[in-house]
Amino acid sequence: MALDSRAAELIAGLQAQGLKAFEQMTVDEARAVVATFTGLQAPPEPVARVEDASHDSGGTQIPLRVYVPEGPAPHPVVLYFHGGGFVAGDLDVVDEPARAVANGTGAIVVAATYRRAPEHRFPAAADDASAALQWVAGNVGNYGGDPGNVVVMGDSAGGNLAAVTALRARDEGGPGLRGQVLIYPVIDPHAEFPSRQEFAEGYLIGAGDLDWFWGNYLSSPEDATHPYAVPSRAASLEGLPPALVLTTENEVARDEAEAYAGSLRQAGVDTDTIRFDGLLHGAFWMSGAVPRSSEMRSAVVEFVKRVTATAPVR
């Protein structure tokens, strides 16, 4: 399918502005560019309550932002890890999508950030993400959330962290999860699939950009064999919570994400995979510039409602 007309307009506009590839940027430049994605978003929706909080991860205080929707408690909970290649991104850039997910699902959304590379390489982000889930289990009840009815979610690098957090929760004895939402997750720095070549350049995130992000994140080549960095390296994917894996047609990481979804399915994990033809990496954050991002959000809402509705009655 042809590239969505609004996505094509966006790419053409960025190219006309002389936007460099991420692999050609400094870390500070990359962070500044990712921060501008708020300008591609629709006006943020009001929610009943927004509160800033923090959690401890190995002695470091890591920020959180809690979005409480209208409606009676207890609410299900979505723990949302932002993308940004492990290098960039923050709570502000996902404020708008977090609000939309909270209102659409009726769930409390806890947006979680993490220590960023290269100042803090693997396993810092993975440790922070796992610690955020522990915080949710122990504290979300104070906001009207149900700690026994939690879904982890993330986009891009955040999708990797959501997958890793689900793995660690299984391996380390909880907290239990009702589902995992992986939005165009980056899975494996050594993935060799057709989409790596087909969309290597010209689609916002290129193959060289992925290599640059991974190079900043991993501490050593051996890290690429660790399942908490590369979840597809897990010895088994059995026993993981139901998964929704969203991909976009025009992106380098498409095939590795879909391959991970296939591996989940083969391991007996209830897994839905949806590819959005015409769209590109980053679309979930582009509600103003690329209106079809609403299709991705609707898929998330439907999945979260389904898996949280099956939570045991206590």
Side-chain angles (χ1 to χ4, degrees):
M1 178 178 174
L3 187 63
D4 174 81
S5 60
R6 295 290 294 273
E9 290 173 10
L10 173 63
I11 289 176
L14 293 173
Q15 290 174 340
Q17 294 171 24
L19 181 69
K20 296 188 293 188
F22 282 101
E23 64 177 318
Q24 298 171 339
M25 297 181 191
T26 66
V27 168
D28 286 343
E29 286 173 336
R31 289 172 179 166
V33 167
V34 170
T36 67
F37 270 72
T38 56
L40 305 177
Q41 296 170 353
E45 301 174 9
V47 296
R49 183 158 51 108
V50 180
E51 291 194 22
D52 287 322
S54 65
H55 70 93
D56 179 80
S57 179
T60 300
Q61 289 298 306
I62 308 295
L64 298 162
R65 191 166 293 161
V66 183
Y67 299 84
V68 183
E70 298 287 353
H75 298 275
V77 182
V78 175
L79 175 59
Y80 178 17
F81 303 109
H82 66 78
F86 306 104
V87 169
D90 57 22
L91 298 181
D92 291 339
V93 80
V94 293
D95 178 75
E96 186 272 330
R99 290 167 178 267
V101 170
N103 285 337
T105 60
I108 288 176
V109 173
V110 178
T113 190
Y114 40 87
R115 288 170 290 172
R116 299 179 301 185
E119 296 92 340
H120 304 282
R121 294 176 181 265
F122 175 80
D127 288 345
D128 295 348
S130 185
L133 178 59
Q134 295 292 338
W135 182 92
V136 166
N139 295 275
V140 80
N142 298 331
Y143 300 85
D146 181 354
N149 200 3
V150 178
V151 173
V152 290
M153 169 177 143
D155 53 70
S156 192
N160 172 290
L161 294 173
V164 165
T165 300
L167 276 172
R168 290 185 66 163
R170 180 202 65 181
D171 296 348
E172 297 168 3
L177 294 170
R178 303 305 302 175
Q180 53 182 320
V181 176
L182 314 180
I183 303 170
Y184 37 74
V186 293
I187 296 294
D188 184 351
H190 299 309
E192 292 291 340
F193 291 105
S195 65
R196 280 269 184 156
Q197 286 74 47
E198 187 176 356
F199 304 105
E201 295 181 353
Y203 293 90
L204 193 60
I205 300 291
D209 300 328
L210 275 189
D211 292 342
W212 183 78
F213 288 130
W214 279 111
N216 277 296
Y217 179 51
L218 300 181
S219 301
S220 68
E222 290 72 29
D223 286 345
T225 68
H226 199 299
Y228 297 161
V230 180
S232 56
R233 294 299 188 104
S236 171
L237 299 177
E238 292 180 0
L240 290 172
L244 173 65
V245 181
L246 304 184
T247 64
T248 57
E249 178 187 13
N250 304 283
E251 69 159 301
V252 287
R254 181 194 71 195
D255 292 350
E256 66 191 75
E258 292 176 0
Y260 186 67
S263 297
L264 287 168
R265 199 173 291 113
Q266 291 173 3
V269 178
D270 177 10
T271 304
D272 296 333
T273 311
I274 306 173
R275 180 192 292 186
F276 292 87
D277 289 341
L279 294 186
L280 76 170
H281 197 95
F284 194 74
W285 288 2
M286 301 175 180
S287 54
V290 183
R292 282 190 58 211
S293 67
S294 64
E295 298 173 21
M296 304 183 77
R297 296 183 181 189
S298 293
V300 171
V301 167
E302 181 180 344
F303 175 82
V304 170
K305 283 184 171 181
R306 175 171 67 85
V307 297
T308 58
T310 62
V313 176
R314 290 185 297 277

